C-alpha cells in the first residue's frame, strides 16, 4: 500500500468517526446543481432529508445517505449531527420558523433542531432579496417590503440560523 493510499484510507476512517452533516433539501428552484456539486465535494459525510416535492431527488441521493421520509417527516432520529445545512431556505420557510407556523414538515424539524441547540447553516440565496438569484428574478432590494424581509432574516440569526454564502458555509463545515 502506498503512502497516498494509506492517507486516503485514514481520511475515510476519520470521516466515518465524525458525526454526519444533515442536509435538508427543499424544493426551492435556483442554483440547485451548483449547490449540490459544491456540497458533494465538501469532504463531509452527508445525510439527506429530502422534501417530498423535490424533483431532482435522484441526483441528491448520489451525494450522501438519504434518510427515509418516514424517518424525518414525523420526527428526527436521536442521531447527532455535526451541523444541519439548509441549502434552499426560501422566505416562506424562514417566515414559518419565525412566526411559529410549523405546518411545513421542514419547519417542524428545524424547530426541533434549533431547540436541541444544533448549529444550523442556511444559504441566503433564496430568502435574501439582495441576493443575486433574487435580483435575477426581479427583486428590488431597496423596496419597503425587501426591508421587511431583511428585518425578518436578521431575526433568524437571533434564533440560531446562520445565513451564509456557499464559501462561508463550506468554511464553517471545515472548521
Amino acid at each position: 500500500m502506498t503512502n497516498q493510499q494509506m492517507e486516503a484510507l485514514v481520511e475515510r476512517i476519520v470521516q466515518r468517526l465524525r458525526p454526519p452533516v444533515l442536509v435538508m433539501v427543499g424544493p426551492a428552484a435556483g442554483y440547485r446543481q451548483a449547490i449540490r456539486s459544491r456540497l458533494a465535494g465538501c469532504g463531509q459525510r452527508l445525510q439527506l432529508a429530502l422534501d417530498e416535492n423535490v424533483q431532482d431527488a435522484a441526483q441528491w441521493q448520489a451525494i450522501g445517505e438519504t434518510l427515509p421520509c418516514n424517518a424525518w417527516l414525523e420526527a428526527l432520529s436521536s442521531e447527532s449531527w455535526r451541523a444541519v445545512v439548509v441549502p434552499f431556505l426560501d422566505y416562506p420557510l424562514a417566515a414559518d420558523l419565525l412566526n411559529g407556523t410549523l405546518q411545513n414538515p421542514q419547519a417542524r424539524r428545524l424547530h426541533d433542531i434549533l431547540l436541541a441547540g444544533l448549529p444550523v447553516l442556511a444559504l441566503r440565496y433564496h430568502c435574501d432579496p439582495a441576493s443575486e438569484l433574487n435580483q435575477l428574478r426581479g427583486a428590488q432590494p431597496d423596496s419597503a417590503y425587501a426591508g421587511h424581509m431583511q428585518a425578518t432574516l436578521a431575526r433568524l440569526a437571533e434564533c440560531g440560523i446562520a445565513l451564509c454564502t456557499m464559501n462561508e458555509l463550506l468554511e464553517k463545515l471545515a472548521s
Side-chain angles (χ1 to χ4, degrees):
M1 189 176 261
T2 67
N3 283 345
Q4 186 177 22
Q5 290 171 325
M6 285 191 298
E7 286 176 17
L9 181 61
V10 168
E11 178 60 33
R12 280 190 295 199
I13 292 170
V14 168
Q15 192 179 66
R16 289 294 237 180
L17 294 174
R18 280 189 238 144
V21 172
L22 177 64
V23 181
M24 298 188 78
V25 181
Y31 296 161
R32 293 184 73 82
Q33 182 178 353
I35 290 170
R36 186 175 50 250
S37 66
R38 292 289 305 274
L39 286 173
C42 76
Q44 303 291 324
R45 187 165 59 113
L46 303 176
Q47 286 189 335
L48 307 166
L50 300 173
D51 186 278
E52 56 194 8
N53 296 319
V54 170
Q55 301 295 315
D56 57 350
Q59 286 108 3
W60 284 97
Q61 291 169 347
I63 71 166
E65 174 192 348
T66 303
L67 298 176
C69 281
N70 62 352
W72 77 270
L73 284 176
E74 295 303 318
L76 284 171
S77 69
S78 61
E79 182 169 353
S80 64
W81 291 284
R82 189 162 179 258
V84 177
V85 172
V86 186
F88 305 105
L89 179 69
D90 57 10
Y91 188 75
L93 178 57
D96 282 352
L97 283 169
L98 287 176
N99 295 328
T101 311
L102 304 177
Q103 301 302 317
N104 175 329
Q106 202 174 18
R108 285 194 300 272
R109 295 302 70 82
L110 285 169
H111 169 79
D112 297 341
I113 288 164
L114 290 166
L115 282 174
L118 287 170
V120 177
L121 307 170
L123 294 177
R124 63 183 326 112
Y125 306 121
H126 294 84
C127 60
D128 186 350
S131 75
E132 182 181 67
L133 176 62
N134 282 322
Q135 288 183 33
L136 288 169
R137 291 177 172 162
Q140 297 298 318
D142 56 351
S143 71
Y145 188 70
H148 167 73
M149 290 174 70
Q150 291 290 5
T152 300
L153 297 178
R155 289 180 44 218
L156 273 182
E158 295 169 9
C159 294
I161 297 176
L163 291 176
C164 43
T165 65
M166 179 56 88
N167 288 341
E168 292 166 342
L169 183 142
L170 294 176
E171 186 177 300
K172 288 178 183 187
L173 287 178
S175 65

